[in-house]
Amino acid sequence: MLRKILLFASATVSTVAVLSGAAMAAEPDSCRAVRMAEPGWNDLAFTTGVGVVLYDALGYEPASTLLGIEVIYQSLKNGDLDVFLGYWDPAMVTYYTAYKEDGSVETLRTNLEGAKYTFAVPTYAWEAGVKDFADLRKFADKFDKKLYGIEPGSNQLMIDAVADPAFGLEGWEVVESSEAGMLAEVARRTKRGEFIVFQGWAPHPMNTAFDFKYLTGGDKLYGPNFGAATVSTQVRKGYAAECPNAAKLLSNLGFEIEFENEGMGYLIDGGLKPEEAARKALLAHPDLLEGWLAGVTTFDGKPGLDAVKAKLGL
């Protein structure tokens, strides 16, 4: 009888040890650094900032780099980056197709629905008759034959529109600068009542800062419903298998239009850095953390939710 008790006790201790070891299992050292990138768009700067704040609180060493879209994909393929939270579909299909086909970049999940992305004009230009892509050619002189885009490497669909005879934009110029530069030009021209066609999208505070309309007729390039889009999380090939806990956070991480609008407002209007805006938004919406951190541990295997709350002072 005593032997049975001792055997049972020994088995119990072993089981507890195994379970404890599983609960405290840490990711490989190679997973500690989480290499992220975004192309300088405020929505992606903010959501990437959220990722950086969460990974930092979990004991990882996250870093975000500002890169052009093509460079981001090439870096994911080469293994120089791990995570990209900003695949806009269909706007980035032309960038992603080759990497999808060779399997070097994998899509984990859709992290935002209800987005849109297409040409836009001030409401007074829309009321004057510029309601569709086909109307642009009729008012070419008023627009100085210019389309205003954002960072170089992010305006391929505008460039494709100029190159496509179906749109009648031969001789038009795509003005590339930055998101901030484009919006500053929109502000200047709308203040003077001048015509301007620019790259518009949602989520973004521009939708409340300016009175403008999205144009129809761009389905061939941007897709239907004013470029209705989704945004997805992507990783380099094999990342989820190599770093399952880090990938679990990415699989949980999803956003809403209103949350992103608020966060981008902190960047644009408040002048905060991405991580600062992310912390402010998380402190305002701590209820999001439970779902995002379900099943996620710290880098060394401790409860993730507790660690993040402690880091944020919640």
Side-chain angles (χ1 to χ4, degrees):
M1 182 66 169
L2 177 60
R3 183 172 179 275
K4 290 183 179 179
I5 292 174
L6 290 174
L7 287 173
F8 175 78
S10 176
T12 301
V13 170
S14 298
T15 301
V16 170
V18 169
L19 293 175
S20 177
M24 296 299 292
E27 295 225 275
D29 288 342
S30 60
C31 295
R32 185 182 289 275
V34 182
R35 301 165 299 172
M36 310 174 77
E38 50 88 10
W41 303 4
N42 277 311
D43 62 315
L44 302 184
F46 171 66
T47 56
T48 304
V50 170
V52 168
V53 168
L54 294 176
Y55 277 123
D56 178 70
L58 292 169
Y60 289 83
E61 295 177 354
S64 177
T65 306
L66 183 65
L67 298 171
I69 296 171
E70 183 57 51
V71 178
I72 288 175
Y73 278 113
Q74 191 62 47
S75 298
L76 287 167
K77 178 176 180 174
N78 294 341
D80 297 323
L81 285 177
D82 303 309
V83 180
F84 179 43
L85 294 177
Y87 171 57
W88 276 70
D89 185 358
M92 293 184 185
V93 167
T94 55
Y95 295 98
Y96 174 48
T97 297
Y99 303 94
K100 180 180 180 180
E101 290 176 349
D102 68 15
S104 60
V105 177
E106 301 172 346
T107 300
L108 284 187
R109 64 158 293 168
T110 297
N111 66 52
L112 180 72
E113 296 182 342
K116 63 177 67 174
Y117 183 76
T118 192
F119 289 9
V121 298
T123 296
Y124 55 78
W126 188 84
E127 291 174 341
V130 188
K131 300 181 179 182
D132 189 274
F133 275 46
D135 298 323
L136 291 170
R137 72 187 80 175
K138 305 173 190 175
F139 295 85
D141 291 341
K142 281 187 170 291
F143 287 110
D144 297 324
K145 290 190 173 183
K146 291 181 179 179
L147 304 169
Y148 285 85
I150 48 178
E151 290 76 11
S154 298
N155 304 297
Q156 189 59 50
L157 295 182
M158 274 191 161
I159 294 169
D160 290 346
V162 171
D164 190 333
F167 293 106
L169 298 175
E170 294 87 353
W172 285 59
E173 175 190 357
V174 176
V175 180
E176 299 184 301
S177 57
S178 66
E179 180 183 320
M182 182 194 76
L183 294 175
E185 188 67 24
V186 172
R188 283 193 292 270
R189 288 181 176 265
T190 54
K191 186 176 182 180
R192 298 194 294 257
E194 297 174 353
F195 279 34
I196 181 172
V197 56
F198 60 96
Q199 185 61 72
W201 67 90
H204 196 283
M206 73 170 79
N207 291 274
T208 54
F210 301 109
D211 184 8
F212 69 88
K213 302 285 189 182
Y214 291 97
L215 301 185
T216 57
D219 295 15
K220 181 178 180 180
L221 295 174
Y222 290 90
N225 301 317
F226 303 103
T230 59
V231 183
S232 295
T233 299
Q234 297 180 321
V235 295
R236 61 175 172 80
K237 181 180 180 180
Y239 183 70
E242 295 170 27
C243 306
N245 186 64
K248 177 63 175 174
L249 174 61
L250 297 174
S251 296
N252 290 349
L253 196 60
F255 304 101
E256 298 290 340
I257 295 287
E258 295 76 12
F259 179 73
E260 290 199 25
N261 280 338
E262 180 180 328
M264 283 185 281
Y266 297 149
L267 293 174
I268 297 169
D269 302 323
L272 299 183
K273 295 179 180 178
E275 290 83 2
E276 295 171 337
R279 289 189 189 93
K280 186 171 182 177
L282 290 173
L283 289 172
H285 301 278
D287 53 300
L288 295 173
L289 296 175
E290 187 169 350
W292 287 348
L293 294 161
V296 176
T297 70
T298 60
F299 176 75
D300 56 2
K302 298 181 176 65
L305 180 61
D306 292 346
V308 172
K309 284 185 173 180
K311 184 76 171 184
L312 293 174
L314 293 170

